[in-house]
Amino acid sequence: MLKKLLAGLIDRPLFTSLFIADFFVLVFHRPPFLFSILMLGALVAGSLYLGQKLALFEEK
């Protein structure tokens, strides 16, 4: 599972860099409230996108 996740992240470098940068800004920087809500929404949307594209628990 971890191998599939890492391969999926390596295949999408722009998305991965945006996802990681968004996560670390939210954790360490504490932006203004409205901006942090938008960033959190983007982080959730990115997580949903990754979950759908990678389908880690897909049964065959």
Side-chain angles (χ1 to χ4, degrees):
M1 180 174 93
L2 184 61
K3 186 176 181 181
K4 190 173 183 181
L5 179 65
L6 290 176
L9 290 175
I10 290 172
D11 289 344
R12 298 168 182 85
L14 177 65
F15 181 75
T16 302
S17 62
L18 289 173
F19 186 80
I20 290 173
D22 188 18
F23 177 76
F24 281 110
V25 165
L26 281 173
V27 170
F28 295 116
H29 180 59
R30 302 284 183 214
F33 182 73
L34 291 177
F35 187 63
S36 65
I37 293 295
L38 290 174
M39 289 180 71
L40 185 63
L43 195 62
V44 168
S47 298
L48 290 171
Y49 173 79
L50 269 180
Q52 182 183 18
K53 285 296 181 183
L54 297 180
L56 295 175
F57 300 107
E58 182 179 301
E59 292 186 32
K60 295 181 179 182

mmCIF file of all heavy atoms in Angstrom, residues 10-29:
data_model
loop_
_atom_site.group_PDB
_atom_site.id
_atom_site.type_symbol
_atom_site.label_atom_id
_atom_site.label_comp_id
_atom_site.label_asym_id
_atom_site.label_seq_id
_atom_site.Cartn_x
_atom_site.Cartn_y
_atom_site.Cartn_z
ATOM 1 N N ILE A 10 4.730 10.387 -6.700
ATOM 2 C CA ILE A 10 5.855 10.695 -7.587
ATOM 3 C C ILE A 10 5.357 10.954 -9.008
ATOM 4 O O ILE A 10 5.921 11.784 -9.725
ATOM 5 C CB ILE A 10 6.890 9.558 -7.542
ATOM 6 C CG1 ILE A 10 7.580 9.577 -6.182
ATOM 7 C CG2 ILE A 10 7.912 9.685 -8.654
ATOM 8 C CD1 ILE A 10 8.490 8.400 -5.924
ATOM 9 N N ASP A 11 4.284 10.288 -9.412
ATOM 10 C CA ASP A 11 3.736 10.485 -10.756
ATOM 11 C C ASP A 11 3.085 11.854 -10.932
ATOM 12 O O ASP A 11 2.903 12.304 -12.058
ATOM 13 C CB ASP A 11 2.691 9.414 -11.071
ATOM 14 C CG ASP A 11 3.307 8.054 -11.287
ATOM 15 O OD1 ASP A 11 4.528 7.984 -11.499
ATOM 16 O OD2 ASP A 11 2.547 7.054 -11.235
ATOM 17 N N ARG A 12 2.719 12.512 -9.840
ATOM 18 C CA ARG A 12 2.063 13.830 -9.894
ATOM 19 C C ARG A 12 2.860 14.848 -9.069
ATOM 20 O O ARG A 12 2.447 15.230 -7.987
ATOM 21 C CB ARG A 12 0.648 13.716 -9.331
ATOM 22 C CG ARG A 12 -0.236 12.797 -10.109
ATOM 23 C CD ARG A 12 -1.509 12.490 -9.358
ATOM 24 N NE ARG A 12 -2.359 11.571 -10.082
ATOM 25 C CZ ARG A 12 -2.233 10.252 -10.022
ATOM 26 N NH1 ARG A 12 -1.317 9.700 -9.281
ATOM 27 N NH2 ARG A 12 -3.053 9.486 -10.707
ATOM 28 N N PRO A 13 4.024 15.301 -9.572
ATOM 29 C CA PRO A 13 4.897 16.166 -8.759
ATOM 30 C C PRO A 13 4.288 17.530 -8.411
ATOM 31 O O PRO A 13 4.479 18.020 -7.302
ATOM 32 C CB PRO A 13 6.156 16.320 -9.601
ATOM 33 C CG PRO A 13 5.741 15.994 -10.986
ATOM 34 C CD PRO A 13 4.592 15.031 -10.877
ATOM 35 N N LEU A 14 3.553 18.141 -9.323
ATOM 36 C CA LEU A 14 2.957 19.446 -9.032
ATOM 37 C C LEU A 14 1.899 19.314 -7.941
ATOM 38 O O LEU A 14 1.888 20.085 -6.976
ATOM 39 C CB LEU A 14 2.330 20.048 -10.296
ATOM 40 C CG LEU A 14 1.613 21.380 -10.091
ATOM 41 C CD1 LEU A 14 2.617 22.453 -9.680
ATOM 42 C CD2 LEU A 14 0.864 21.781 -11.324
ATOM 43 N N PHE A 15 1.031 18.334 -8.066
ATOM 44 C CA PHE A 15 -0.005 18.116 -7.066
ATOM 45 C C PHE A 15 0.609 17.769 -5.711
ATOM 46 O O PHE A 15 0.167 18.258 -4.670
ATOM 47 C CB PHE A 15 -0.949 16.997 -7.520
ATOM 48 C CG PHE A 15 -2.042 16.734 -6.541
ATOM 49 C CD1 PHE A 15 -3.098 17.609 -6.430
ATOM 50 C CD2 PHE A 15 -1.998 15.636 -5.713
ATOM 51 C CE1 PHE A 15 -4.103 17.381 -5.517
ATOM 52 C CE2 PHE A 15 -2.989 15.400 -4.800
ATOM 53 C CZ PHE A 15 -4.054 16.273 -4.693
ATOM 54 N N THR A 16 1.643 16.942 -5.717
ATOM 55 C CA THR A 16 2.294 16.550 -4.474
ATOM 56 C C THR A 16 2.930 17.742 -3.776
ATOM 57 O O THR A 16 2.795 17.907 -2.561
ATOM 58 C CB THR A 16 3.367 15.481 -4.753
ATOM 59 O OG1 THR A 16 2.737 14.364 -5.386
ATOM 60 C CG2 THR A 16 4.031 15.019 -3.485
ATOM 61 N N SER A 17 3.603 18.599 -4.530
ATOM 62 C CA SER A 17 4.246 19.759 -3.914
ATOM 63 C C SER A 17 3.204 20.730 -3.352
ATOM 64 O O SER A 17 3.396 21.285 -2.269
ATOM 65 C CB SER A 17 5.165 20.458 -4.908
ATOM 66 O OG SER A 17 4.427 20.935 -6.001
ATOM 67 N N LEU A 18 2.090 20.927 -4.069
ATOM 68 C CA LEU A 18 1.024 21.783 -3.545
ATOM 69 C C LEU A 18 0.401 21.190 -2.282
ATOM 70 O O LEU A 18 0.124 21.904 -1.319
ATOM 71 C CB LEU A 18 -0.063 21.981 -4.605
ATOM 72 C CG LEU A 18 0.299 22.859 -5.792
ATOM 73 C CD1 LEU A 18 -0.807 22.809 -6.833
ATOM 74 C CD2 LEU A 18 0.570 24.266 -5.346
ATOM 75 N N PHE A 19 0.193 19.899 -2.276
ATOM 76 C CA PHE A 19 -0.401 19.206 -1.135
ATOM 77 C C PHE A 19 0.497 19.315 0.100
ATOM 78 O O PHE A 19 0.045 19.679 1.189
ATOM 79 C CB PHE A 19 -0.620 17.737 -1.512
ATOM 80 C CG PHE A 19 -1.353 16.948 -0.487
ATOM 81 C CD1 PHE A 19 -2.729 17.028 -0.390
ATOM 82 C CD2 PHE A 19 -0.674 16.110 0.378
ATOM 83 C CE1 PHE A 19 -3.416 16.284 0.547
ATOM 84 C CE2 PHE A 19 -1.352 15.368 1.320
ATOM 85 C CZ PHE A 19 -2.724 15.453 1.412
ATOM 86 N N ILE A 20 1.777 19.074 -0.068
ATOM 87 C CA ILE A 20 2.723 19.120 1.057
ATOM 88 C C ILE A 20 2.906 20.556 1.551
ATOM 89 O O ILE A 20 2.923 20.803 2.757
ATOM 90 C CB ILE A 20 4.065 18.485 0.645
ATOM 91 C CG1 ILE A 20 3.874 16.976 0.476
ATOM 92 C CG2 ILE A 20 5.154 18.767 1.675
ATOM 93 C CD1 ILE A 20 5.069 16.258 -0.083
ATOM 94 N N ALA A 21 3.017 21.514 0.625
ATOM 95 C CA ALA A 21 3.172 22.912 1.032
ATOM 96 C C ALA A 21 1.941 23.396 1.781
ATOM 97 O O ALA A 21 2.061 24.069 2.821
ATOM 98 C CB ALA A 21 3.417 23.774 -0.195
ATOM 99 N N ASP A 22 0.760 23.042 1.304
ATOM 100 C CA ASP A 22 -0.488 23.427 1.975
ATOM 101 C C ASP A 22 -0.542 22.835 3.376
ATOM 102 O O ASP A 22 -0.877 23.520 4.343
ATOM 103 C CB ASP A 22 -1.675 22.964 1.139
ATOM 104 C CG ASP A 22 -3.013 23.469 1.645
ATOM 105 O OD1 ASP A 22 -3.011 24.435 2.431
ATOM 106 O OD2 ASP A 22 -4.044 22.915 1.231
ATOM 107 N N PHE A 23 -0.180 21.585 3.507
ATOM 108 C CA PHE A 23 -0.201 20.925 4.812
ATOM 109 C C PHE A 23 0.748 21.602 5.803
ATOM 110 O O PHE A 23 0.370 21.910 6.929
ATOM 111 C CB PHE A 23 0.173 19.446 4.645
ATOM 112 C CG PHE A 23 0.249 18.706 5.940
ATOM 113 C CD1 PHE A 23 -0.897 18.334 6.605
ATOM 114 C CD2 PHE A 23 1.477 18.386 6.500
ATOM 115 C CE1 PHE A 23 -0.838 17.656 7.811
ATOM 116 C CE2 PHE A 23 1.552 17.707 7.691
ATOM 117 C CZ PHE A 23 0.398 17.342 8.355
ATOM 118 N N PHE A 24 1.981 21.867 5.370
ATOM 119 C CA PHE A 24 2.947 22.456 6.285
ATOM 120 C C PHE A 24 2.630 23.913 6.626
ATOM 121 O O PHE A 24 2.906 24.356 7.743
ATOM 122 C CB PHE A 24 4.372 22.320 5.749
ATOM 123 C CG PHE A 24 4.935 20.950 5.975
ATOM 124 C CD1 PHE A 24 5.154 20.083 4.917
ATOM 125 C CD2 PHE A 24 5.201 20.502 7.249
ATOM 126 C CE1 PHE A 24 5.650 18.815 5.125
ATOM 127 C CE2 PHE A 24 5.701 19.244 7.481
ATOM 128 C CZ PHE A 24 5.926 18.393 6.414
ATOM 129 N N VAL A 25 2.049 24.658 5.699
ATOM 130 C CA VAL A 25 1.628 26.027 6.023
ATOM 131 C C VAL A 25 0.535 25.999 7.081
ATOM 132 O O VAL A 25 0.547 26.780 8.036
ATOM 133 C CB VAL A 25 1.175 26.779 4.752
ATOM 134 C CG1 VAL A 25 0.414 28.035 5.102
ATOM 135 C CG2 VAL A 25 2.374 27.130 3.896
ATOM 136 N N LEU A 26 -0.427 25.075 6.936
ATOM 137 C CA LEU A 26 -1.495 24.992 7.922
ATOM 138 C C LEU A 26 -0.983 24.541 9.286
ATOM 139 O O LEU A 26 -1.461 25.002 10.318
ATOM 140 C CB LEU A 26 -2.593 24.038 7.436
ATOM 141 C CG LEU A 26 -3.542 24.616 6.411
ATOM 142 C CD1 LEU A 26 -4.473 23.534 5.892
ATOM 143 C CD2 LEU A 26 -4.346 25.743 6.998
ATOM 144 N N VAL A 27 -0.006 23.658 9.313
ATOM 145 C CA VAL A 27 0.489 23.139 10.584
ATOM 146 C C VAL A 27 1.406 24.128 11.293
ATOM 147 O O VAL A 27 1.283 24.345 12.507
ATOM 148 C CB VAL A 27 1.221 21.791 10.360
ATOM 149 C CG1 VAL A 27 1.951 21.350 11.606
ATOM 150 C CG2 VAL A 27 0.220 20.725 9.942
ATOM 151 N N PHE A 28 2.300 24.770 10.570
ATOM 152 C CA PHE A 28 3.345 25.558 11.211
ATOM 153 C C PHE A 28 3.156 27.076 11.143
ATOM 154 O O PHE A 28 3.758 27.801 11.924
ATOM 155 C CB PHE A 28 4.709 25.213 10.619
ATOM 156 C CG PHE A 28 5.121 23.802 10.899
ATOM 157 C CD1 PHE A 28 5.295 22.897 9.868
ATOM 158 C CD2 PHE A 28 5.320 23.366 12.195
ATOM 159 C CE1 PHE A 28 5.670 21.607 10.123
ATOM 160 C CE2 PHE A 28 5.692 22.068 12.459
ATOM 161 C CZ PHE A 28 5.869 21.184 11.418
ATOM 162 N N HIS A 29 2.364 27.597 10.221
ATOM 163 C CA HIS A 29 2.334 29.047 10.032
ATOM 164 C C HIS A 29 1.145 29.742 10.698
ATOM 165 O O HIS A 29 1.258 30.868 11.132
ATOM 166 C CB HIS A 29 2.357 29.382 8.535
ATOM 167 C CG HIS A 29 2.339 30.839 8.251
ATOM 168 N ND1 HIS A 29 3.308 31.695 8.706
ATOM 169 C CD2 HIS A 29 1.474 31.605 7.568
ATOM 170 C CE1 HIS A 29 3.033 32.921 8.308
ATOM 171 N NE2 HIS A 29 1.911 32.884 7.605
#
